[in-house]
Amino acid sequence: MGGPGGWWRRKSTPAKVETYTRWSFHFIALSEPTVIGVTAFGHLEARAALLVMVPVAAHVALAMVTASRALDWTVGRRAQPLRLLWALGAATALVATAAVVLGRHGPGGPREDTGTVLGSVFGATLCYGVGLTALGLKDRRRVVLLVTGFGAGAGLVARAAGMPALAALGTSAFVTAASGFFAATSAFSIWLLNTVYVLDEARETRARLAVAEERLRFGRDLHDVMGRNLAVIALKSELAVQLARRERPEAVEQMIEVQRIAQESQREVREVVRGYRRADLEAELHGARGVLRAAGIDCEVSGETDGLPAEVQSALGWVVREATTNVLRHGDAKKCTVTVLRPEGRVVLTVRNDGATAPHGSSRTGGTGLAGLRERLSAVGGTLDAGEAGDGEFRLVAEVPLTARPALEVAS
């Protein structure tokens, strides 16, 4: 998949949400120097504005690194970046405090243009710093303490720098509200990202349960076949032993019956292993549609299956099972279509999904699952073709000639 957006299409839904969240916070952090820079270059000389932007740029760089590490911690890739969180909190407080002090008591005394620029540094640094620090906190109470603590601290610093009490109170309220908004945005984004990962894990669990259900189905069929027959073999063998000890000729007849039952059991086990007792194609299509829709994948099934030979239905039923499992377990499909066409003298089963690559990186040669399907189809003269069809679509096509005779089983 070589298009410009191929890297995005190859990502799973949680990975896409994580990438979106990560870059959203990077852009939020980059908006801090934008807001301050517009004010600084609009009110100060270029040299003075550049001096103001130096600590702001350092604060932004630290905030972006902290946000990235905090998101890694959220998804379980790193430990909680406590040192970075403390460093960002300290840098935020230091830059904001310096801005207030310089604005009130800097060289040349308080000036309107300087006060406007340093005021924007003070407010933006606090709001962005607190909001991005909240990414590294899961406890809501700690987030609330962080916001209220910086809000109260902003008011105290402003008052200590000589700002009137009412103005200091207003500053405290503004910082609390603005930083609280950014912190709430961070908390909601983290909650959303965690929810997406949990839902994806639940989807994987449903897929594993579907596979486990098929295994249980196989186990029940095998138990039904072997349980009764083994019990009969044990009873007849015991009877043959008793008759042989009494030198009765009926012992030979009992052992012949044991041999017949054993051969019959062997044949039935082969039937179970080969096709789960002749899988019905219509039932498999109905089951695939139900399982995929339950997993949140839109599934459409079309075509007629009436009148197909039992061998063909069994082979194609296996194709539907394997294809359904691959759609559930690999990739990130949103839609799947299954069509059964019957051109003259053959039947073609096509399964398409829009969000999956080849299972386990397989190509048209396929992995072990596809190799098994090819063996089953070859027994009825059929072929299998599987691979990426472009535009993020994976296509599996099974074709069976209706005039072909199934391969004869080798008696064991």
Side-chain angles (χ1 to χ4, degrees):
M1 214 180 302
W7 69 276
W8 178 260
R9 289 194 296 268
R10 283 192 294 267
K11 288 179 175 290
S12 65
T13 297
K16 290 177 181 177
V17 174
E18 181 185 343
T19 302
Y20 169 78
T21 303
R22 188 179 299 274
W23 282 102
S24 295
F25 281 106
H26 286 336
F27 283 119
I28 288 174
L30 289 174
S31 66
E32 177 185 345
T34 303
V35 171
I36 297 174
V38 169
T39 306
F41 285 97
H43 290 79
L44 301 177
E45 296 179 356
R47 181 179 298 179
L50 288 174
L51 288 175
V52 170
M53 294 304 297
V54 170
V56 173
H59 181 263
V60 170
L62 179 60
M64 292 179 69
V65 173
T66 304
S68 180
R69 297 294 178 86
L71 286 172
D72 288 339
W73 167 65
T74 297
V75 297
R77 297 196 189 102
R78 293 177 182 268
Q80 187 178 18
L82 292 176
R83 291 184 179 179
L84 282 174
L85 293 174
W86 279 107
L88 179 58
T92 299
L94 180 62
V95 173
T97 301
V100 171
V101 173
L102 289 175
R104 301 292 298 180
H105 305 288
R111 294 169 49 189
E112 183 177 352
D113 51 357
T114 304
T116 301
V117 173
L118 294 177
S120 67
V121 172
F122 175 77
T125 301
L126 282 174
C127 296
Y128 285 102
V130 172
L132 293 174
T133 302
L135 284 172
L137 302 175
K138 286 185 178 180
D139 192 343
R140 294 180 181 178
R141 290 174 296 181
R142 292 185 178 182
V143 174
V144 172
L145 288 175
L146 176 72
V147 171
T148 55
F150 269 90
L156 292 175
V157 170
R159 179 60 179 159
M163 187 177 292
L166 188 59
L169 182 61
T171 299
S172 176
F174 169 77
V175 170
T176 301
S179 61
F181 171 77
F182 280 107
T185 301
S186 299
F188 177 77
S189 299
I190 294 300
W191 172 83
L192 181 62
L193 180 60
N194 288 331
T195 301
V196 170
Y197 271 105
V198 169
L199 291 176
D200 186 70
E201 184 179 353
R203 178 180 174 181
E204 288 292 329
T205 301
R206 285 198 298 267
R208 289 193 295 269
L209 288 175
V211 174
E213 185 177 355
E214 285 298 310
R215 291 174 178 172
L216 288 173
R217 175 184 172 186
F218 173 80
R220 288 194 299 268
D221 285 353
L222 194 61
H223 178 269
D224 291 343
V225 169
M226 296 300 297
R228 177 183 59 83
N229 290 350
L230 287 177
V232 174
I233 288 174
L235 289 173
K236 286 188 173 292
S237 298
E238 183 179 355
L239 178 59
V241 169
Q242 297 296 330
L243 292 174
R245 287 175 177 173
R246 299 176 186 176
E247 300 181 353
R248 298 280 298 274
E250 291 88 345
V252 176
E253 297 178 0
Q254 294 297 326
M255 290 309 300
I256 292 174
E257 182 66 12
V258 168
Q259 183 183 31
R260 186 193 66 80
I261 296 174
Q263 292 173 344
E264 179 67 16
S265 298
Q266 195 175 34
R267 184 189 65 79
E268 290 181 349
V269 168
R270 283 199 304 269
E271 288 292 319
V272 172
V273 174
R274 190 185 65 173
Y276 286 8
R277 286 181 174 175
R278 296 294 183 190
D280 180 70
L281 179 57
E282 184 66 28
E284 295 300 331
L285 291 172
H286 179 75
R289 179 166 50 195
V291 170
L292 291 175
R293 287 182 176 177
I297 301 173
D298 183 19
C299 181
E300 297 179 3
V301 177
S302 61
E304 294 293 332
T305 61
D306 296 337
L308 292 176
E311 295 83 2
V312 174
Q313 290 213 34
S314 179
L316 293 180
W318 267 100
V319 173
V320 173
R321 289 179 189 173
E322 180 69 17
T324 302
T325 301
N326 286 339
V327 172
L328 287 170
R329 298 182 64 181
H330 310 295
D332 185 34
K334 299 293 185 299
K335 184 177 181 180
C336 179
T337 59
V338 184
T339 58
V340 181
L341 301 178
R342 299 176 67 173
E344 185 175 356
R346 57 198 174 99
V347 57
V348 180
L349 172 71
T350 305
V351 182
R352 299 172 180 263
N353 70 87
D354 63 355
T357 55
H360 298 295
S362 62
S363 61
R364 293 182 184 275
T365 58
T368 56
L370 297 183
L373 291 182
R374 287 189 174 90
E375 293 177 2
R376 294 179 184 279
L377 288 170
S378 65
V380 291
T383 59
L384 181 73
D385 184 44
E388 295 182 43
D391 296 330
E393 181 180 79
F394 186 80
R395 180 178 61 192
L396 184 147
V397 181
E399 183 174 341
V400 179
L402 296 178
T403 56
R405 293 289 183 183
L408 296 176
E409 294 182 7
V410 179
S412 56

